[in-house]
Amino acid sequence: MTQPTLVILAAGMASRYGGMKQVEGFGPNGETIMDYSIYDAIKAGFGKVVFIIREEFAESFKAAFEPKLAGKIETAYVYQKLESFVGGRTIPADRTKPWGTGHALLCCKDVLTGPFAVINADDYYGAESFVLAANFLQNGCSDTVYAAIGYSLINTLSENGSVSRGVCETDADGNLVGITERTKIYKKGDEIVYEEEDAVKGTLPPTTKVGMNFYCLGGNFITISEGLFEQFLDTSINVPKSEFYIPKIVDDFIRTGKGKVEVVPTDAKWFGVTYKEDAEGVRESIKQLVETGVYPASLWA
């Protein structure tokens, strides 16, 4: 059975965090959050990892990861460039950010040949999630069946500010109907509330399933993305902060009847560094995972 591929989105500019959090050390020996994701992926049976990075960081990035991953998992590197897949269009001078996560996956066109999983570089997803993803990719994924790993909302909040989450709407069979983007979710007393236009609009149950950009996608996803990116450029190329997101492609996949997306639930606890103040909490969480034996003190020794 073919070992699945993991794609890691590491080309973002980390605007809210204020730095390159993808390569910041959080473990006892300077391990990044990515290190723990890759470690979990290898244990779950993934055979290849594709890093999507910015070309100017390629040399230092490879120097950091190649020595410890050599012989453990196959690696590939993809550069997300503004000029990729824009055809003959002129890129506006004030455009500095990449085109978004959907465009990042499109840049993997030459290195992906079948189903794959995709995650964020700066999110900790938990070992169980990679086991669930590997099982789905090997036994359930196809050009008409994708999956989103669904986290309980309570397990994805930050103590240091509001978060943006894609709230999953599912049918009776647990298939995704749609994703509602809630851009300001936070705890208020014993409740989890969300705001729209700076006013509280409602509450969400702690068990609400949310997507954390952890998808299992079929080999045809890239072809679908290419056509949709053309449409995106036709309408949004001159909007400086416009982005072409993976959830928009997934939504089109469902809405146009191309297939279904299963929500695979996990009880894993997510953590990440949305804000600089989150960093110490991430270090403490990893320390506890090491002390309880989930991870060795020296991850790649």
Short mmCIF file of all heavy atoms in Angstrom, two decimals, residues 109-149:
data_model
loop_
_atom_site.label_atom_id
_atom_site.label_comp_id
_atom_site.label_asym_id
_atom_site.label_seq_id
_atom_site.Cartn_x
_atom_site.Cartn_y
_atom_site.Cartn_z
N LYS A 109 1.85 21.36 -7.93
CA LYS A 109 1.35 20.60 -9.07
C LYS A 109 2.34 19.54 -9.57
O LYS A 109 1.95 18.43 -9.94
CB LYS A 109 0.99 21.56 -10.21
CG LYS A 109 0.39 20.88 -11.43
CD LYS A 109 -0.01 21.92 -12.48
CE LYS A 109 -0.63 21.24 -13.70
NZ LYS A 109 -1.04 22.24 -14.73
N ASP A 110 3.62 19.86 -9.57
CA ASP A 110 4.61 18.94 -10.14
C ASP A 110 5.11 17.88 -9.16
O ASP A 110 5.87 16.99 -9.57
CB ASP A 110 5.81 19.74 -10.67
CG ASP A 110 5.43 20.60 -11.87
OD1 ASP A 110 4.46 20.26 -12.57
OD2 ASP A 110 6.11 21.63 -12.08
N VAL A 111 4.72 17.96 -7.89
CA VAL A 111 5.26 16.99 -6.92
C VAL A 111 4.18 16.12 -6.28
O VAL A 111 4.49 15.20 -5.53
CB VAL A 111 6.07 17.69 -5.80
CG1 VAL A 111 7.25 18.43 -6.38
CG2 VAL A 111 5.19 18.62 -4.97
N LEU A 112 2.90 16.41 -6.56
CA LEU A 112 1.81 15.61 -6.01
C LEU A 112 1.20 14.74 -7.11
O LEU A 112 0.80 15.26 -8.15
CB LEU A 112 0.73 16.50 -5.39
CG LEU A 112 1.14 17.28 -4.14
CD1 LEU A 112 0.01 18.21 -3.70
CD2 LEU A 112 1.53 16.34 -3.01
N THR A 113 1.13 13.45 -6.86
CA THR A 113 0.62 12.53 -7.88
C THR A 113 -0.59 11.74 -7.42
O THR A 113 -1.12 10.94 -8.16
CB THR A 113 1.72 11.53 -8.29
OG1 THR A 113 2.17 10.82 -7.12
CG2 THR A 113 2.90 12.25 -8.92
N GLY A 114 -1.03 11.96 -6.19
CA GLY A 114 -2.17 11.21 -5.67
C GLY A 114 -2.74 11.90 -4.46
O GLY A 114 -2.42 13.07 -4.19
N PRO A 115 -3.58 11.23 -3.68
CA PRO A 115 -4.17 11.83 -2.48
C PRO A 115 -3.09 12.30 -1.50
O PRO A 115 -2.00 11.73 -1.42
CB PRO A 115 -4.99 10.67 -1.88
CG PRO A 115 -5.30 9.79 -3.05
CD PRO A 115 -4.08 9.85 -3.92
N PHE A 116 -3.42 13.34 -0.75
CA PHE A 116 -2.46 13.91 0.20
C PHE A 116 -3.21 14.61 1.33
O PHE A 116 -4.40 14.94 1.21
CB PHE A 116 -1.54 14.91 -0.51
CG PHE A 116 -2.26 16.10 -1.09
CD1 PHE A 116 -2.36 17.28 -0.39
CD2 PHE A 116 -2.85 16.03 -2.36
CE1 PHE A 116 -3.04 18.38 -0.93
CE2 PHE A 116 -3.51 17.11 -2.91
CZ PHE A 116 -3.61 18.29 -2.19
N ALA A 117 -2.50 14.84 2.43
CA ALA A 117 -3.03 15.64 3.53
C ALA A 117 -2.30 16.96 3.55
O ALA A 117 -1.15 17.06 3.12
CB ALA A 117 -2.84 14.92 4.86
N VAL A 118 -2.95 17.99 4.06
CA VAL A 118 -2.33 19.31 4.16
C VAL A 118 -2.57 19.87 5.55
O VAL A 118 -3.66 19.71 6.12
CB VAL A 118 -2.87 20.27 3.08
CG1 VAL A 118 -4.38 20.43 3.16
CG2 VAL A 118 -2.18 21.63 3.17
N ILE A 119 -1.54 20.50 6.12
CA ILE A 119 -1.63 21.12 7.43
C ILE A 119 -0.90 22.46 7.41
O ILE A 119 -0.12 22.76 6.51
CB ILE A 119 -1.03 20.24 8.55
CG1 ILE A 119 0.48 20.02 8.30
CG2 ILE A 119 -1.78 18.92 8.68
CD1 ILE A 119 1.21 19.37 9.47
N ASN A 120 -1.14 23.26 8.47
CA ASN A 120 -0.38 24.49 8.68
C ASN A 120 0.92 24.17 9.41
O ASN A 120 0.96 23.29 10.28
CB ASN A 120 -1.18 25.48 9.52
CG ASN A 120 -2.42 25.99 8.83
OD1 ASN A 120 -2.47 26.07 7.60
ND2 ASN A 120 -3.44 26.33 9.60
N ALA A 121 1.97 24.92 9.10
CA ALA A 121 3.26 24.70 9.76
C ALA A 121 3.23 25.07 11.23
O ALA A 121 3.94 24.46 12.04
CB ALA A 121 4.33 25.52 9.05
N ASP A 122 2.44 26.05 11.59
CA ASP A 122 2.50 26.60 12.94
C ASP A 122 1.38 26.11 13.86
O ASP A 122 1.11 26.71 14.89
CB ASP A 122 2.50 28.13 12.88
CG ASP A 122 1.42 28.67 11.95
OD1 ASP A 122 0.53 27.91 11.56
OD2 ASP A 122 1.48 29.86 11.60
N ASP A 123 0.73 25.02 13.50
CA ASP A 123 -0.33 24.44 14.32
C ASP A 123 0.09 23.06 14.82
O ASP A 123 0.62 22.24 14.06
CB ASP A 123 -1.63 24.27 13.53
CG ASP A 123 -2.30 25.61 13.23
OD1 ASP A 123 -1.94 26.61 13.88
OD2 ASP A 123 -3.17 25.64 12.36
N TYR A 124 -0.16 22.80 16.10
CA TYR A 124 0.05 21.46 16.65
C TYR A 124 -1.30 20.73 16.59
O TYR A 124 -2.29 21.21 17.13
CB TYR A 124 0.54 21.53 18.10
CG TYR A 124 0.61 20.16 18.75
CD1 TYR A 124 1.72 19.35 18.57
CD2 TYR A 124 -0.46 19.68 19.50
CE1 TYR A 124 1.77 18.08 19.13
CE2 TYR A 124 -0.41 18.41 20.07
CZ TYR A 124 0.70 17.62 19.89
OH TYR A 124 0.74 16.36 20.44
N TYR A 125 -1.32 19.56 15.95
CA TYR A 125 -2.58 18.88 15.68
C TYR A 125 -2.83 17.65 16.54
O TYR A 125 -3.97 17.19 16.64
CB TYR A 125 -2.63 18.46 14.21
CG TYR A 125 -2.77 19.63 13.26
CD1 TYR A 125 -1.65 20.18 12.62
CD2 TYR A 125 -4.01 20.19 12.99
CE1 TYR A 125 -1.78 21.25 11.74
CE2 TYR A 125 -4.15 21.25 12.11
CZ TYR A 125 -3.03 21.78 11.50
OH TYR A 125 -3.16 22.84 10.63
N GLY A 126 -1.80 17.08 17.15
CA GLY A 126 -1.97 15.89 17.97
C GLY A 126 -1.80 14.61 17.17
O GLY A 126 -2.23 14.51 16.02
N ALA A 127 -1.19 13.61 17.79
CA ALA A 127 -0.84 12.36 17.10
C ALA A 127 -2.05 11.65 16.52
O ALA A 127 -1.99 11.10 15.41
CB ALA A 127 -0.09 11.43 18.06
N GLU A 128 -3.18 11.65 17.26
CA GLU A 128 -4.37 10.93 16.79
C GLU A 128 -4.82 11.41 15.42
O GLU A 128 -5.26 10.62 14.58
CB GLU A 128 -5.51 11.09 17.79
CG GLU A 128 -6.79 10.42 17.35
CD GLU A 128 -8.00 10.83 18.18
OE1 GLU A 128 -8.44 12.00 18.09
OE2 GLU A 128 -8.50 9.97 18.92
N SER A 129 -4.71 12.70 15.18
CA SER A 129 -5.19 13.27 13.93
C SER A 129 -4.43 12.73 12.72
O SER A 129 -5.02 12.51 11.66
CB SER A 129 -5.07 14.79 13.97
OG SER A 129 -5.84 15.31 15.03
N PHE A 130 -3.14 12.49 12.88
CA PHE A 130 -2.35 11.96 11.77
C PHE A 130 -2.67 10.50 11.51
O PHE A 130 -2.66 10.05 10.36
CB PHE A 130 -0.86 12.17 12.05
CG PHE A 130 -0.45 13.61 11.98
CD1 PHE A 130 -0.41 14.38 13.13
CD2 PHE A 130 -0.15 14.20 10.77
CE1 PHE A 130 -0.06 15.72 13.07
CE2 PHE A 130 0.21 15.54 10.70
CZ PHE A 130 0.25 16.31 11.86
N VAL A 131 -2.99 9.76 12.56
CA VAL A 131 -3.43 8.37 12.39
C VAL A 131 -4.74 8.35 11.61
O VAL A 131 -4.92 7.55 10.67
CB VAL A 131 -3.59 7.68 13.75
CG1 VAL A 131 -4.20 6.29 13.58
CG2 VAL A 131 -2.24 7.57 14.45
N LEU A 132 -5.68 9.22 11.99
CA LEU A 132 -6.97 9.30 11.30
C LEU A 132 -6.78 9.70 9.84
O LEU A 132 -7.42 9.13 8.94
CB LEU A 132 -7.88 10.31 12.01
CG LEU A 132 -8.35 9.95 13.41
CD1 LEU A 132 -9.02 11.16 14.08
CD2 LEU A 132 -9.31 8.77 13.38
N ALA A 133 -5.90 10.66 9.60
CA ALA A 133 -5.67 11.12 8.23
C ALA A 133 -5.02 10.04 7.37
O ALA A 133 -5.43 9.82 6.22
CB ALA A 133 -4.79 12.37 8.25
N ALA A 134 -4.02 9.36 7.92
CA ALA A 134 -3.34 8.31 7.15
C ALA A 134 -4.31 7.18 6.80
O ALA A 134 -4.31 6.67 5.67
CB ALA A 134 -2.16 7.76 7.95
N ASN A 135 -5.16 6.82 7.76
CA ASN A 135 -6.14 5.77 7.51
C ASN A 135 -7.12 6.17 6.41
O ASN A 135 -7.44 5.38 5.52
CB ASN A 135 -6.90 5.44 8.79
CG ASN A 135 -7.94 4.35 8.58
OD1 ASN A 135 -7.63 3.21 8.30
ND2 ASN A 135 -9.21 4.72 8.72
N PHE A 136 -7.58 7.42 6.46
CA PHE A 136 -8.51 7.88 5.43
C PHE A 136 -7.87 7.93 4.06
O PHE A 136 -8.46 7.49 3.06
CB PHE A 136 -9.07 9.27 5.79
CG PHE A 136 -10.02 9.81 4.77
CD1 PHE A 136 -11.35 9.44 4.78
CD2 PHE A 136 -9.57 10.65 3.76
CE1 PHE A 136 -12.23 9.91 3.80
CE2 PHE A 136 -10.44 11.12 2.78
CZ PHE A 136 -11.77 10.74 2.81
N LEU A 137 -6.65 8.44 3.99
CA LEU A 137 -5.96 8.56 2.70
C LEU A 137 -5.72 7.20 2.07
O LEU A 137 -5.77 7.05 0.84
CB LEU A 137 -4.64 9.30 2.88
CG LEU A 137 -4.74 10.81 3.14
CD1 LEU A 137 -3.40 11.37 3.56
CD2 LEU A 137 -5.26 11.54 1.91
N GLN A 138 -5.48 6.19 2.89
CA GLN A 138 -5.19 4.86 2.37
C GLN A 138 -6.44 4.04 2.09
O GLN A 138 -6.40 3.13 1.26
CB GLN A 138 -4.28 4.11 3.34
CG GLN A 138 -2.87 4.70 3.41
CD GLN A 138 -1.99 3.99 4.41
OE1 GLN A 138 -2.42 3.67 5.52
NE2 GLN A 138 -0.76 3.72 4.03
N ASN A 139 -7.54 4.38 2.76
CA ASN A 139 -8.72 3.52 2.67
C ASN A 139 -10.00 4.20 2.20
O ASN A 139 -10.95 3.53 1.79
CB ASN A 139 -9.00 2.87 4.03
CG ASN A 139 -7.86 2.00 4.50
OD1 ASN A 139 -7.52 1.02 3.86
ND2 ASN A 139 -7.25 2.36 5.63
N GLY A 140 -10.06 5.54 2.24
CA GLY A 140 -11.32 6.19 1.91
C GLY A 140 -11.25 7.31 0.91
O GLY A 140 -12.26 7.70 0.32
N CYS A 141 -10.05 7.86 0.68
CA CYS A 141 -9.93 9.03 -0.17
C CYS A 141 -9.98 8.68 -1.65
O CYS A 141 -9.48 7.64 -2.08
CB CYS A 141 -8.61 9.74 0.13
SG CYS A 141 -8.48 11.39 -0.59
N SER A 142 -10.62 9.54 -2.43
CA SER A 142 -10.70 9.36 -3.88
C SER A 142 -10.94 10.72 -4.52
O SER A 142 -11.02 11.75 -3.82
CB SER A 142 -11.83 8.40 -4.25
OG SER A 142 -13.09 9.00 -4.03
N ASP A 143 -11.11 10.74 -5.82
CA ASP A 143 -11.40 12.00 -6.51
C ASP A 143 -12.79 12.54 -6.19
O ASP A 143 -13.09 13.69 -6.52
CB ASP A 143 -11.26 11.81 -8.03
CG ASP A 143 -9.81 11.76 -8.48
OD1 ASP A 143 -8.91 11.99 -7.65
OD2 ASP A 143 -9.57 11.48 -9.68
N THR A 144 -13.62 11.71 -5.57
CA THR A 144 -14.98 12.17 -5.21
C THR A 144 -15.23 12.16 -3.71
O THR A 144 -16.32 12.53 -3.26
CB THR A 144 -16.05 11.29 -5.90
OG1 THR A 144 -15.86 9.93 -5.52
CG2 THR A 144 -15.98 11.43 -7.41
N VAL A 145 -14.24 11.74 -2.93
CA VAL A 145 -14.41 11.72 -1.47
C VAL A 145 -13.16 12.31 -0.82
O VAL A 145 -12.07 11.73 -0.89
CB VAL A 145 -14.64 10.28 -0.94
CG1 VAL A 145 -14.90 10.33 0.58
CG2 VAL A 145 -15.80 9.61 -1.65
N TYR A 146 -13.32 13.45 -0.19
CA TYR A 146 -12.27 14.09 0.58
C TYR A 146 -12.65 14.03 2.06
O TYR A 146 -13.71 13.52 2.42
CB TYR A 146 -12.11 15.57 0.21
CG TYR A 146 -11.75 15.89 -1.21
CD1 TYR A 146 -11.79 17.22 -1.65
CD2 TYR A 146 -11.33 14.93 -2.13
CE1 TYR A 146 -11.44 17.57 -2.94
CE2 TYR A 146 -10.98 15.27 -3.43
CZ TYR A 146 -11.04 16.59 -3.83
OH TYR A 146 -10.70 16.94 -5.12
N ALA A 147 -11.78 14.57 2.93
CA ALA A 147 -12.09 14.63 4.35
C ALA A 147 -11.50 15.89 4.97
O ALA A 147 -10.49 16.42 4.51
CB ALA A 147 -11.58 13.40 5.09
N ALA A 148 -12.16 16.34 6.03
CA ALA A 148 -11.63 17.41 6.87
C ALA A 148 -11.55 16.85 8.29
O ALA A 148 -12.50 16.24 8.77
CB ALA A 148 -12.54 18.63 6.85
N ILE A 149 -10.40 17.01 8.94
CA ILE A 149 -10.27 16.58 10.32
C ILE A 149 -10.99 17.62 11.18
O ILE A 149 -10.66 18.81 11.13
CB ILE A 149 -8.81 16.44 10.75
CG1 ILE A 149 -8.05 15.52 9.78
CG2 ILE A 149 -8.71 15.92 12.17
CD1 ILE A 149 -8.56 14.09 9.73
#
